[in-house]
Every structure is written in structure tokens, then in C-alpha cells.
């Protein structure tokens, strides 16, 4: 219990002590401590006598003295008061509870004591403040701002040593008398309110709170009404606010921030956007919801989390296209490798078997022809060669039929490019693609302060000028003119992206956008209030009730139609249109490459033949060239023999 005494008489001190003891006895809790703060003008012994005789204070009393020279607090007195509150907070930190009592006839000293108790974090809501004075209530109007936001009561003594107990109603100019005390009858309540009532559990009067918010789909959506600068607010957060208003008994007005941003802390200590408005107490609450960051926590207090979300990438889907190398896709690379390996194994096995049976060289060309489904003359007599050939025919029958069926299906499929599935992929294409982020959000502040990792790279991209910043009110324009056609990609909250894609589907009937598989930079989202605001715990309690009951998720689902239609758009579609040259140019490339290689071999043969005729004279070089030419002629003769065997007039297998 903290006492500050200033220039009051002995009898007044004794009456004040008895009045405080009567009030404290009603609300006294075990393990509470008493701290006495005096201005040095009056001895606290009388107060100690009255309080000590009526209350059990096993944790003792601590006395701090602040000398006040005049009614106007000097800088020296302010410094002393700050020091006393700092030392008293150390006592409070080792105490279970503390009650703060200020006894003074100086309104300035009363206000300064309450202000420093708040600034010095001496007063938590569980602790209590009592202010005792002989001043009339009309002289104490300036106390309403601080006393209404604290767990505080005002005790006013009259000339006959009677005491009236008053409570300041928050967000109102009303002061209610809740009790009175007389030396003969003691303390009695005058209303249904208890001493130190829970003023923020439910307001007795219906105040009008001022809030700030900005468009943030699906949580808050803003629409102009056409009546000047009037707007209509909707969304899940607005429904939550309306339910809070009915539960706490308040109405509200909404003010939009001048810069349209959520705001963050600047290097000079100030804050921008809605965060700055709440931190400067220009409004009572920030609806948001706001992502929790350490910088904002230095300026405002957060409620219990409303929802959690992560960032994703929203990109425009490319035009459907056929892969020009699609004729290789019916078989996987592993199957193509296994086919080539099997062919080599069969050829080697044939050569080994021919050597073992001491017969002529086997017909190797049959296996190449059978692989490409050409008619083939089967050699007679060699039973072991027929067995090998039969096994190869069976394998090729199954494999090539499967290839033909898959190829037919794949030629009817259009692939829709969806390149940015990860933040890394987006960073790698930053030279050709511009990222879009919402202006002045917790995400932007996070990557701008990152010292390492992938978000440090995002900051470097920002410094290079490859990031565009927009407000939430510009999202629809962004989708139509930037992201849909590219080369832009939007980085935003997953819930917001769902709503934007759903709204576009409602207008066009198409899913023109895709969402990345990767989610990153998760945040909890809350409402915010000024530092040490007692309204925050009361709101947090109700938010937990609503989120545990699933109300917020229900509101988001019911208010956002088609938000899940385009969550997983197809990356492949089937069409029945004819193929164009752009769809099959890979096959022509394959053919041209084969022709070019054939021409190169033909050129080498002609050059070798010419060299063979001109350098057939006896020389080592001529002999070597002759051997090369002889080898080429043998190969050419062998190929000519194979070609004749595969001509249409040859017998079928």
C-alpha cells in the first residue's frame, strides 16, 4: 500500500487512515504489501497507527519520501518521484499484491503520482490505487483520464471527516459514487457496484470507442457508400467487433489511417499507419488484425491471437501448351535407359552364342528393325537365335504398344506453367519477374531487418528495385493489370490469396491464378491497443472464447464464397484440337539432326575415297588411309545389305 501525504492535519490523517483501512479490509488479500510514499511535509506515523491496527500486513511496509517544495512540481521533484516509483516497483516485484494510496490536497501531485505509477509499471490491474483528498470533485476533473483507465478509486473527505468513494467510468466523463464512510457507521455501499469494480468486464454505460482499420481481405473489406467519404466495413473481423460490442456494451466508430498502411516503427522511434495511431492514443483500438512483431510490441499491446497465417505466392497461370519433346514422355528416362541396356545385352549375348556354336555372325539388324516395329525376315535353322528373337519380340510388343497408347494420350494434354512454387524459384527469376508486397506490413519490416538467409536476399532484391509495394485497396487492379499477364507475382497472406482468387473466379468463371505449394513466414494476428490498456485483457478473454468455439473460421467460410474453388487449379488440361507445328517441332528437330549426321558421314566417305585414290601409292600414310577407306566400304556394304533385306519385296516374318 503506497501512501503519499501532503499538508493535512492530524485529525484528517487519522480519519483518512480509518477510511482507507475500512475500504482495504473489504478487498484485502493475503500476502499483500504496503509501501508508503510521502512528500515529507507530514509524518506518516498517524496513518501507520490507524492502518496497522486494523489490517494484518505480514509482508510489512516500506517508506519512500519525496520532498515537494511547491504546488508546481519542479524537474527535481519529478526526478525524485521517478526514482521513488522505480524503487517501489522493485518491492512490488517481490510482493504478491500492492495497493497504491495517494493522500494529498494538491491535484497536481495526485495526477503526477498516478502518471508515474503508470509510466513506471508500478500499477498492474491486480494492484489498486486509492487517492484521498479534501478537494471538491469539481477541482479533480483532470484526473479522469488516468483514473478511469486504472483499477482506482477516489476518496473525498469533507469537513466533518466523512468520506465518499468515487469511481471514474472509462471512456466517459461520468464519476459514480459507489460507497460512503462515516466515523460512526463505517463503510456502506451506495450502488450495486462493488469496491474496485471490474470496469472493463462490461461497461455500465455504453461508450463509443474509436477504432482504426484498413482493407485486409478476408478479415476486413471496405466499400464506398457514395455519400462523401463514408465507407461500409464488412468481413470476419467486423463481425468479431460487433460481437465484442454486444458483450462489452460499447458502440464504435472506425477511422482509416491517412497512409492506408498497418504501420511499423521507424528509426527515429515514431510509428506510422494504424500502429502509430494506436500508440499515440489517437484511437482506442486497432482492429487489424495485426501480425505480432517485436518492434510493434514496443509501441502497442496485443490481444489474444485471432488467427494464424503464412505467406504464399500468387502467380498468373500460363497459357496451355504441348511439350514439343512430348514424344519422349510416354516412357520415363529410366525405361529408355533400360531399353537401351537390354538391346546391348541381347546383341552381346547373340555374339557370344554364335562364337560358342562356331557359326557365322548372327543377324543383328533384325533386333533394330523389330524395336521400331518394322517387318523382318526370320532366319531359318538356328533354334537358339529364334528363342532370343522370340523373347525380344514379346518385350517389344508390350513396350511399344504401351508407348503408342501413352503418346496418343499425351498429345491431347496441354501443360499449364506454374513456375513459382517456392520463394527460391521466385528469387531466381527476379531479373525477369517483379515481386509485389503490401506496403508497410510486418512481413516487409521482417525481411528489411534480416541479416542472413533467404529473406536477406529478398531485402537485396528490394534494394535493387525489383519489388513493388501496393495498398490492400489496390488488389483488384493488381490482379487484372499486373499478375494476370505477368511478369509480376504477388506475395501475400494465404487467406487473402484464397479470397482474391475466389473473387476473380466469381467474376470470370475461370481460375487464372495459382498459389505456391510452399508457405513461409508464419505470423499470429491480433487486435492491438495502447500500452498498459486494461481493455486488452477483457477483449482477449472474449477472443479466446470465440476462437475456441470456431466462430471466426465459420465467419470466414460463410462470407467468402468460391474461396476454395481455385486453391488447387489443374496444371494439365485435355483438349480435342489439332496439333500445330509449335507442338511437335521436337520430332522435326530429331529428324533434321539425323539427316545432318548422315550428310556428315557421306562427306567423310567421299573425302576418304578421294584420298584413297590419290594417295594409294606406297606410303605409310596411304596405307593407313586405305585401311580407313576399306573399313568405311565394309560398313557401307553392310548397311546396303540390311537395306535390301528390309525392302518391301523381302519376305515378311
Amino acid at each position: 500500500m503506497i501512501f503519499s501525504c501532503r499538508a493535512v492535519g492530524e485529525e484528517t490523517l487519522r480519519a483518512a487512515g480509518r477510511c482507507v483501512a475500512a475500504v482495504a479490509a473489504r478487498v484485502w488479500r493475503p500476502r499483500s504489501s504496503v509501501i508508503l510514499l510521502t512528500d515529507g511535509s507530514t509524518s506518516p506515523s498517524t496513518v501507520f497507527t490507524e492502518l496497522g491496527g486494523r489490517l494484518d500486513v505480514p509482508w510489512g511496509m516500506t517508506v519512500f519520501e519525496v520532498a515537494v517544495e511547491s504546488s508546481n512540481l519542479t524537474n527535481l521533484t519529478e526526478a525524485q518521484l521517478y526514482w521513488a516509483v522505480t524503487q517501489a516497483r522493485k518491492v512490488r516485484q517481490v510482493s504478491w499484491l500492492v495497493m497504491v494510496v495517494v493522500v494529498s490536497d494538491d491535484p497536481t501531485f495526485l495526477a503526477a503520482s498516478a502518471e508515474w505509477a503508470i509510466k513506471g509499471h508500478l500499477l498492474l490491474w491486480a494492484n489498486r490505487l486509492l487517492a484521498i483528498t479534501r478537494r471538491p470533485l469539481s477541482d479533480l476533473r483532470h484526473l479522469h483520464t488516468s483514473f478511469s483507465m486504472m483499477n482506482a478509486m477516489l476518496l473525498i473527505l469533507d469537513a466533518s471527516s466523512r468520506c465518499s468513494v468515487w469511481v471514474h467510468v472509462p471512456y466517459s466523463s461520468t464519476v459514480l459514487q459507489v460507497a460512503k464512510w462515516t466515523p460512526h457507521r463505517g463503510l456502506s455501499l451506495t450502488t450495486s457496484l462493488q469496491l474496485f469494480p471490474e470496469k472493463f468486464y462490461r461497461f455500465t454505460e455504453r461508450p463509443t470507442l474509436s477504432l482504426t482499420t484498413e482493407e485486409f481481405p478476408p478479415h476486413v473489406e471496405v466499400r464506398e457508400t457514395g455519400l462523401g467519404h463514408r465507407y461500409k466495413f464488412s468481413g470476419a473481423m467486423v463481425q468479431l467487433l460487433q460481437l465484442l460490442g454486444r458483450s462489452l456494451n460499447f458502440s464504435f466508430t472506425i477511422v482509416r489511417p491517412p497512409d492506408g498502411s498497418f504501420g511499423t516503427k521507424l528509426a527515429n522511434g515514431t510509428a506510422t499507419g494504424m500502429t502509430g495511431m494506436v500508440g499515440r492514443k489517437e484511437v482506442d483500438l486497432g482492429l487489424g488484425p495485426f501480425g505480432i512483431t517485436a518492434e510493434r510490441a514496443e509501441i502497442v499491446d496485443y490481444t489474444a491471437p485471432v488467427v494464424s497465417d503464412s505467406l504464399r505466392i500468387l502467380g498468373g497461370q500460363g497459357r496451355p501448351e504441348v511439350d514439343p519433346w512430348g514424344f519422349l514422355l510416354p516412357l520415363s528416362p529410366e525405361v529408355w535407359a533400360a531399353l537401351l541396356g537390354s538391346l546391348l545385352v541381347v546383341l552381346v549375348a547373340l555374339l557370344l552364342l554364335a562364337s560358342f556354336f562356331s557359326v557365322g555372325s548372327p543377324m543383328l539388324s533384325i533386333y533394330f528393325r523389330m524395336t521400331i516395329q518394322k517387318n523382318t525376315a526370320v532366319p531359318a535353322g538356328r533354334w537358339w537365335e529364334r528363342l532370343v528373337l522370340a523373347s525380344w519380340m514379346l518385350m517389344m510388343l508390350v513396350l511399344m504398344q504401351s508407348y503408342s497408347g501413352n503418346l496418343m494420350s499425351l498429345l491431347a494434354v496441354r501443360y499449364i506453367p506454374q513456375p513459382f512454387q517456392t520463394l527460391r524459384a521466385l528469387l531466381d527469376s527476379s531479373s525477369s519477374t517483379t515481386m509485389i508486397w503490401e506496403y508497410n506490413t510486418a512481413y516487409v519490416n521482417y525481411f528489411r531487418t534480416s541479416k542472413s538467409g533467404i529473406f536477406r536476399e529478398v531485402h537485396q532484391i528490394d534494394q535493387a528495385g525489383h519489388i513493388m509495394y501496393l495498398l490492400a485497396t489496390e488488389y483488384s487492379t493488381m490482379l487484372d493489370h499486373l499478375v494476370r499477364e505477368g511478369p509480376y507475382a504477388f506475395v501475400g497472406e494465404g487467406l487473402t490469396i484464397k479470397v482474391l482468387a475466389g473473387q476473380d473466379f466469381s467474376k470470370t468463371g475461370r481460375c487464372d491464378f495459382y498459389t505456391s505449394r510452399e508457405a513461409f513466414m508464419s505470423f499470429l494476428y491480433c487486435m492491438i491497443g495502447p500500452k498498459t490498456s486494461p481493455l486488452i485483457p477483457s477483449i482477449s478473454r472474449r477472443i479466446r472464447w470465440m476462437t475456441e468455439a470456431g466462430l471466426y473460421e465459420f465467419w470466414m467460410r460463410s462470407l467468402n464464397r468460391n474461396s476454395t474453388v481455385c486453391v488447387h487449379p489443374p496444371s494439365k488440361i485435355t483438349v480435342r484440337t489439332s496439333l500445330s507445328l509449335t507442338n511437335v517441332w521436337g520430332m522435326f528437330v530429331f529428324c533434321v539432326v539425323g539427316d545432318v549426321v548422315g550428310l556428315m558421314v557421306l562427306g567423310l566417305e567421299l573425302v576418304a575415297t578421294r584420298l584413297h585414290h590419290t594417295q594409294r601409292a606406297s606410303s605409310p600414310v596411304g596405307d593407313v588411309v586405305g585401311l580407313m577407306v576399306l573399313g568405311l566400304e565394309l560398313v557401307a556394304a553392310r548397311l546396303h545389305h540390311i537395306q535390301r533385306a528390309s525392302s518391301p519385296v523381302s519376305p515378311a516374318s
Side-chain angles (χ1 to χ4, degrees), residues 505-558:
F505 177 82
S506 300
K507 292 188 298 182
T508 64
R510 304 187 309 270
C511 291
D512 292 339
F513 305 96
Y514 71 94
T515 306
S516 65
R517 292 188 299 269
E518 181 186 56
F520 50 93
M521 208 185 296
S522 299
F523 272 83
L524 293 174
Y525 290 86
C526 317
M527 295 175 62
I528 60 173
K531 294 294 289 184
T532 67
S533 172
L535 183 59
I536 298 301
S538 184
I539 291 179
S540 297
R541 186 185 306 114
R542 288 165 172 81
I543 287 178
R544 281 191 290 267
W545 294 343
M546 284 183 272
T547 54
E548 289 172 0
L551 282 178
Y552 197 79
E553 293 182 2
F554 171 76
W555 290 330
M556 286 197 296
R557 288 195 302 268
S558 61

Side-chain angles (χ1 to χ4, degrees), residues 214-215 220-234 256 473-474:
E214 188 51 86
E215 185 161 2
V220 178
E221 296 186 10
V222 183
R223 297 290 182 270
E224 293 187 12
T225 60
L227 303 174
H229 294 285
R230 296 180 178 272
Y231 303 94
K232 180 180 179 181
F233 298 87
S234 60
R256 301 180 70 180
T473 53
E474 302 173 290

Side-chain angles (χ1 to χ4, degrees), residues 264-272 280 299:
T264 187
K265 185 179 179 181
L266 302 178
N268 59 7
T270 61
T272 61
R280 294 187 296 269
I299 305 170

Side-chain angles (χ1 to χ4, degrees), residues 415-429:
Y415 292 89
I416 304 175
Q418 298 179 356
F420 304 130
Q421 296 296 337
T422 63
L423 182 59
R424 167 53 57 195
L426 186 56
L427 287 174
D428 292 341
S429 63

